[in-house]
Amino acid sequence: MIDAIEKNLQRGIKLLNNISDEQYSDCSVPPYYSSIGNNMRHILDVFSCIFKGINEGNIDFSDRDRNELAQVQTKFGIDYFNQIINELSNLDEKDFDRIVKVTDDLGTGKITTNYTLGSALVQAHSHTIHHYASIGFIIDQLGIELPDADFGYNPTTPRKN
């Protein structure tokens, strides 16, 4: 699991290494006017929530860092990616079945439910792919090349040959 998540996060780093801060922070693309950086920071905030709560067994997906520098400057975005990858590398697979309490606001207030640590990581990984697809739309509109053909594609998504 960790290898797949890290491989996917490395795609984000690859993109950030090949775009300017201006492209990264450009909020001009409708309909949401969200930048590549906004999406990247949000992706990483979800992982950060896991690592902030892992020791106590209480993960709150609504308690995000929202590091503004990480969403406007590629250098800080890359640093944030590397921080998350480092945290991932410190996990032990035997802990994936550990029960943790996960809190989030689904639109009508916060709820808390039991997950395994592994299921929280799978959710964060799927969330990353989802946002990479949104970033792919922004990239296309800004005339930037995708970092690789798998960027933003869920492995189960059918593709035309």
Side-chain angles (χ1 to χ4, degrees), residues 11-24:
R11 287 186 173 104
I13 293 173
K14 184 176 179 182
L15 173 64
L16 271 59
N17 277 321
N18 289 291
I19 62 174
S20 68
D21 288 344
E22 291 76 24
Q23 291 168 315
Y24 185 60

Side-chain angles (χ1 to χ4, degrees), residues 31-52:
Y32 302 112
Y33 302 98
S34 180
S35 68
I36 295 167
N38 292 134
N39 282 274
M40 291 297 197
R41 191 257 321 137
H42 174 71
I43 287 167
L44 297 168
D45 278 354
V46 169
F47 280 102
S48 179
C49 289
I50 293 171
F51 297 119
K52 283 192 305 190

Side-chain angles (χ1 to χ4, degrees), residues 21-89:
D21 288 344
E22 291 76 24
Q23 291 168 315
Y24 185 60
S25 61
D26 187 324
C27 292
S28 67
V29 178
Y32 302 112
Y33 302 98
S34 180
S35 68
I36 295 167
N38 292 134
N39 282 274
M40 291 297 197
R41 191 257 321 137
H42 174 71
I43 287 167
L44 297 168
D45 278 354
V46 169
F47 280 102
S48 179
C49 289
I50 293 171
F51 297 119
K52 283 192 305 190
I54 200 169
N55 289 335
E56 296 80 32
N58 290 303
I59 297 166
D60 186 346
F61 284 131
S62 67
D63 182 22
R64 300 192 190 130
D65 293 331
R66 302 186 198 283
N67 179 341
E68 288 196 25
L69 284 176
Q71 72 184 28
V72 295
Q73 293 183 28
T74 57
K75 175 195 179 311
F76 292 102
I78 292 167
D79 289 347
Y80 201 3
F81 269 103
N82 285 323
Q83 172 192 335
I84 296 302
I85 290 169
N86 184 55
E87 294 274 6
L88 280 168
S89 71

Side-chain angles (χ1 to χ4, degrees), residues 111-135:
I111 63 149
T112 301
T113 190
N114 290 332
Y115 279 40
T116 63
L117 176 58
S119 62
L121 290 166
V122 167
Q123 179 178 337
H125 178 68
S126 294
H127 178 256
T128 299
I129 294 169
H130 163 77
H131 275 275
Y132 278 2
S134 297
I135 292 167

